[in-house]
């Protein structure tokens, strides 16, 4: 089966698409990506062993409505280029879009040529591209229940399917013992992992500095804190760790082996981006979530409720990190193994580790008609 995937722009779109592609490739299908070689997909897709076809398209700036004209022209031009390519090399049997604007030419061509396609939405608040392309999709696959209402259509209750948000196998394969060995964390220590996404989060970094004394007073606690590249120097200065404290508090600008490090953790403190939520749930790690307060339509708070509603996480607003209650809750969890165990069971019960397989099932079904 020939499968076309359109994904681009950010890791939040690309990594779930790659997770699906890995699953489909293992099932014997031929997968080709469509995106921009000059963007992040131009690096991540070839690294994963997939070919990438250039789709020259740009979104439009809603604050400058006139840019819609040039955007529409580029979509039309890209569809024309795709038509030529598919006439020469053969059309896909099915296509999947992951929400970036780069999906519009591919899925638009599919609609006009009666090739089935699906869209996958990673966030609780859907983006414009997926909302545009959802009506004619064979299926709309969502990551969290909160996105369902946007896509449901009258008389077709099966149009929207909750598959979860696919996570790369390199993350799902994370191993607790291997992670702790790489970090130098003893097997019997309690490990708190702190990260704010690829760019870090100043609020979390400042909150950790304020709680340094309380956290280091927790017997057997180790901390691994990823500050983001831009926040490392400021966080290091605020913490001002002694050599003895630094032996228990691993401060770093970013984490490469996220799967192993997540698996090694007893508790995670993080933002609530779609990818973070998916990875935390896939590995069943208890979490304390502080959504980014300026996310579109406050979608990170809605993302977080996927875990909090299941009993797998606690939720705090950004401004609450400075309150005494935040520190009380964080330390209280670290000192309560039974509650952490219950939260871990709740997270694993969400089935997020099988999201790629569930989405691949839907792709195969759509192709079969």
């Amino acid at each position: 089966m020939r499968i076309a995937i359109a994904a681009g722009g950010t890791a939040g779109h690309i990594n779930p698409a790659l997770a699906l592609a890995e699953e489909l490739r293992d099932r014997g299908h031929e997968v080709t990506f469509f995106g921009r070689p000059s963007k992040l997909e131009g690096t991540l897709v070839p690294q994963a062993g997939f070919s990438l076809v250039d789709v020259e398209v740009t979104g439009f700036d809603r604050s400058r409505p006139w840019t819609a004209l040039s955007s529409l022209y580029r979509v039309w031009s890209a569809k024309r280029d795709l038509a030529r390519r598919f006439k020469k090399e053969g059309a896909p049997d099915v296509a999947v879009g992951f929400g970036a604007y780069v999906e519009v030419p591919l899925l638009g061509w599919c609609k006009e040529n009666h090739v089935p396609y699906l869209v996958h939405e990673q966030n609780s608040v859907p983006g414009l591209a997926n909302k545009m392309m959802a009506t004619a999709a064979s299926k709309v696959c969502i990551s969290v229940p909160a996105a369902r209402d946007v896509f449901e259509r009258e008389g077709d209750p099966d149009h929207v399917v909750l598959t979860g948000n696919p996570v790369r196998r390199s993350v799902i394969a994370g191993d607790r013992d291997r992670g702790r060995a790489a970090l130098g964390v003893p097997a019997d220590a309690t490990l708190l992992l702190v990260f704010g996404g690829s760019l870090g989060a100043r609020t979390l970094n400042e909150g950790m500095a304020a709680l340094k004394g309380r956290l280091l007073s927790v017997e057997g606690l180790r901390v691994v804190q990823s500050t983001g590249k831009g926040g490392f120097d400021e966080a290091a200065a605020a913490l001002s760790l002694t050599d003895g404290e630094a032996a228990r508090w691993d401060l770093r600008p970013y984490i490469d082996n996220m799967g192993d490090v997540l698996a090694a953790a007893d508790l995670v403190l993080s933002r609530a981006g779609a990818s973070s939520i998916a990875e935390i749930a896939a590995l069943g790690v208890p979490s304390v979530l502080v959504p980014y307060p300026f996310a579109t339509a406050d979608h990170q708070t809605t993302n977080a409720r996927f875990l909090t509603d299941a009993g797998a996480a606690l939720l705090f607003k950004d401004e609450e990190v400075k309150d005494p209650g935040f520190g009380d809750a964080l330390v209280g969890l670290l000192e309560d193994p039974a509650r952490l165990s219950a939260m871990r069971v709740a997270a694993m019960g969400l089935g997020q580790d099988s999201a790629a397989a569930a989405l691949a099932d839907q792709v195969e079904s759509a192709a079969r008609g």
Side-chain angles (χ1 to χ4, degrees):
M1 188 181 298
R2 294 162 59 98
I3 300 168
I5 295 179
T10 68
H13 291 307
I14 301 165
N15 281 328
L18 287 171
L20 170 65
E22 291 167 348
E23 177 69 24
L24 290 169
R25 181 169 58 188
D26 283 357
R27 297 185 183 194
H29 304 307
E30 178 186 341
V31 180
T32 302
F33 275 78
F34 292 75
R36 298 304 314 275
S38 60
K39 302 294 185 180
L40 184 58
E41 60 267 30
T43 299
L44 297 182
V45 170
Q47 280 180 351
F50 297 98
S51 59
L52 177 68
V53 175
D54 188 7
V55 177
E56 190 171 347
V57 66
T58 58
F60 67 92
D61 185 345
R62 280 181 254 189
S63 67
R64 298 185 297 162
W66 59 89
T67 62
L69 294 175
S70 59
S71 178
L72 287 171
Y73 172 76
R74 288 190 177 92
V75 168
W76 174 83
S77 179
K79 284 199 294 184
R80 180 192 60 192
D81 293 343
L82 289 174
R84 291 171 178 165
R85 176 183 179 85
F86 293 148
K87 183 177 181 180
K88 179 181 178 181
E89 300 185 11
D93 297 297
V94 62
V96 190
F98 276 80
Y101 198 70
V102 73
E103 78 180 17
V104 175
L106 174 64
L107 303 189
W109 181 92
C110 289
K111 177 182 176 182
E112 294 169 3
N113 291 273
H114 310 291
V115 173
Y117 72 83
L118 305 85
V119 297
H120 181 273
E121 179 56 54
Q122 298 87 56
N123 278 298
S124 55
V125 178
L128 179 60
N130 270 351
K131 287 193 284 188
M132 288 172 54
M133 306 310 300
T135 302
S138 299
K139 296 287 183 182
V140 175
C141 299
I142 57 175
S143 300
V144 294
R148 183 178 296 276
D149 289 347
V150 177
F151 293 117
E152 282 186 326
R153 61 189 187 191
E154 190 174 352
D156 189 2
D158 297 327
H159 180 59
V160 182
V161 181
L162 177 63
T163 59
N165 194 10
V167 174
R168 298 287 304 275
R169 288 182 178 176
S170 59
V171 175
I172 290 178
D175 180 80
R176 182 179 177 86
D177 292 339
R178 187 169 61 225
R180 290 195 167 219
L183 294 168
V185 174
D188 60 348
T190 301
L191 178 58
L192 170 64
L193 171 62
V194 184
F195 63 91
S198 59
L199 299 179
R202 173 175 284 184
T203 298
L204 299 187
N205 293 338
E206 292 175 349
M208 290 298 288
L211 291 170
K212 170 186 161 183
R214 287 194 67 183
L215 290 171
L216 288 174
S217 70
V218 177
E219 185 177 354
L221 179 67
R222 295 293 186 97
V223 178
V224 173
Q225 180 182 353
S226 175
T227 63
K229 292 181 180 179
F232 179 79
D233 291 339
E234 184 179 359
L239 282 168
S240 189
L241 298 168
T242 66
D243 289 344
E245 292 168 342
R248 297 177 57 197
W249 197 301
D250 182 346
L251 189 72
R252 54 180 67 193
Y254 57 91
I255 294 171
D256 286 323
N257 54 333
M258 182 57 83
D260 285 345
V261 174
L262 266 176
D266 294 296
L267 180 66
V268 167
L269 169 62
S270 79
R271 291 300 199 189
S275 293
S276 296
I277 293 292
E279 292 172 355
I280 289 168
L283 286 166
V285 187
S287 56
V288 175
L289 303 172
V290 183
Y292 178 61
F294 303 112
T296 303
D298 196 25
H299 71 261
Q300 286 206 6
T301 295
T302 311
N303 289 348
R305 295 199 186 283
F306 179 59
L307 293 182
T308 60
D309 289 351
L314 298 183
L315 173 64
F316 287 89
K317 295 179 180 178
D318 194 73
E319 63 267 24
E320 292 175 333
V321 171
K322 297 179 180 179
D323 296 342
F326 174 80
D328 292 342
L330 187 64
V331 172
L333 277 178
L334 292 167
E335 295 181 330
D336 192 345
R339 189 175 182 193
L340 288 176
S341 179
M343 293 171 72
R344 185 177 293 275
V345 171
M348 292 300 296
L350 293 169
Q352 178 60 46
D353 57 337
S354 61
L359 182 54
D361 290 343
Q362 294 297 324
V363 173
E364 290 178 330
S365 177
R368 290 192 297 264

